[in-house]
Amino acid sequence: MSNDETFAAAYREHYWAVSRYVARRLDGRSSDVEEVVAEVFTVAWRRRSDLPPSPLPWLYGVARHCLANAVRGYGRRRRLLDRLGNDESAHGRQVVDSPDSASPGDWVHEALARLSPADQEVLRLTAWEELGVDEVAVALGCGSRAAAMRLHRARRRLRAEIDRMHITVAGGPAPPRRDTLKEHGHG
């Protein structure tokens, strides 16, 4: 198969997975998703001779870099708007959620948001993108052992954040920890 055919197959097969990956990380800025995804596949086209046999983790790695560039650009535009005094709050268009707008499981997202961007990404690659450690390594541009260690540490830090938050489920106590369940013969 030629490089062009390899690229075309990767595009057809993985466009929607890359789109979902980008959309989940842009937190509702759907108008920007297409722009970032287009950039991902532009890079993939330029580097089509580098596409590996299983290109999805590689495409996620490219998407990470494209997202980082986009976020830096959004930050620059936001700072410019703030300096100009042309932001939403200056015009009274601030949106405030109602107290009952929290959905079940928001505590997981809150705990995740308290982690470093690197920890968030390794956890999202395994949970949202359902990548194995070897694929995470490709997406992060590191070795498999380093990816496994990053994942282990990120999971440990997420557990600590959840414990710190003293989560209550349906008004009750925090969910039992796995090690507690094992002590009582449940695990």
Side-chain angles (χ1 to χ4, degrees):
M1 196 174 346
S2 74
N3 289 340
D4 292 355
E5 292 168 332
T6 301
F7 169 81
Y11 180 83
R12 280 191 307 274
E13 188 174 340
H14 301 300
Y15 177 85
W16 292 111
V18 171
S19 293
R20 287 188 300 271
Y21 174 93
V22 171
R24 285 190 284 258
R25 284 155 180 81
L26 285 179
D27 296 326
R29 294 192 308 249
S30 58
S31 61
D32 300 320
V33 171
E34 287 180 21
E35 185 177 324
V36 173
V37 172
E39 180 63 23
V40 169
F41 283 102
T42 300
V43 170
W45 171 256
R46 278 190 239 124
R47 297 188 54 204
R48 61 192 177 277
S49 63
D50 297 335
L51 279 171
S54 297
L56 186 59
W58 184 86
L59 289 168
Y60 286 154
V62 172
R64 282 182 60 237
H65 294 290
C66 291
L67 279 164
N69 289 338
V71 167
R72 280 192 296 275
Y74 303 143
R76 284 190 298 271
R77 283 192 293 276
R78 183 82 240 157
R79 287 188 299 278
L80 176 61
L81 287 174
D82 288 346
R83 281 198 311 267
L84 295 173
N86 195 18
D87 64 351
E88 293 169 353
S89 59
H91 297 285
R93 288 184 285 185
Q94 216 166 359
V95 177
V96 178
D97 289 335
S98 69
D100 60 343
S101 66
S103 62
D106 276 352
W107 58 271
V108 174
H109 294 286
E110 184 179 337
L112 185 64
R114 293 177 181 201
L115 299 178
S116 72
D119 283 350
Q120 290 178 34
E121 184 61 10
V122 72
L123 291 168
R124 288 174 175 152
L125 284 167
T126 57
W128 290 356
E129 301 346 308
E130 300 177 356
L131 297 184
V133 172
D134 291 338
E135 295 169 316
V136 168
V138 171
L140 296 178
C142 65
S144 293
R145 293 179 102 173
M149 184 57 72
R150 288 180 188 184
L151 178 59
H152 171 74
R153 289 177 179 159
R155 284 177 174 159
R156 189 180 67 223
R157 288 190 274 266
L158 179 62
R159 178 78 245 175
E161 282 302 325
I162 290 171
D163 289 346
R164 248 186 243 115
M165 291 171 58
H166 302 290
I167 302 302
T168 58
V169 178
R177 292 180 52 147
R178 275 184 274 149
D179 53 346
T180 307
L181 291 173
K182 288 179 183 173
E183 290 172 9
H184 298 292
H186 297 297

